Amino acid sequence: MSMMDKLKNMLKGHEGQVGKGVDKAGDQVDKRTHGRHRKQVDTAQERLKDQPGRDSGQRREPPAQP
């Protein structure tokens, strides 16, 4: 079992707390970069929030572009 699999197993059931942590980290990045990379940070936050609830074999479709 890889380290990522172990981390995912530990985080299962705590998606709400993971989401809060991801939001907080993204806000810090936005603050330190003065919002220059906000779009990329938002995309990373969305993808990270989806990770804990997924099995390693599942694939996620990219979000539709508005």
Side-chain angles (χ1 to χ4, degrees):
M1 183 179 280
S2 73
M3 178 61 92
M4 286 304 292
D5 289 335
K6 289 180 184 179
L7 287 172
K8 285 180 184 180
N9 286 335
M10 288 175 26
L11 295 175
K12 280 189 181 179
H14 302 284
E15 287 84 8
Q17 290 176 325
V18 170
K20 288 179 186 178
V22 167
D23 285 337
K24 212 172 202 183
D27 292 344
Q28 282 297 316
V29 171
D30 279 339
K31 182 178 175 184
R32 289 181 183 212
T33 61
H34 304 288
R36 287 181 292 224
H37 306 288
R38 183 167 289 141
K39 189 174 180 180
Q40 290 86 353
V41 170
D42 289 344
T43 301
Q45 285 175 314
E46 289 174 18
R47 289 186 179 183
L48 285 169
K49 286 180 190 178
D50 288 345
Q51 289 297 318
R54 292 191 324 140
D55 291 332
S56 59
Q58 291 179 331
R59 291 194 174 241
R60 180 179 167 277
E61 293 295 320
Q65 297 296 325

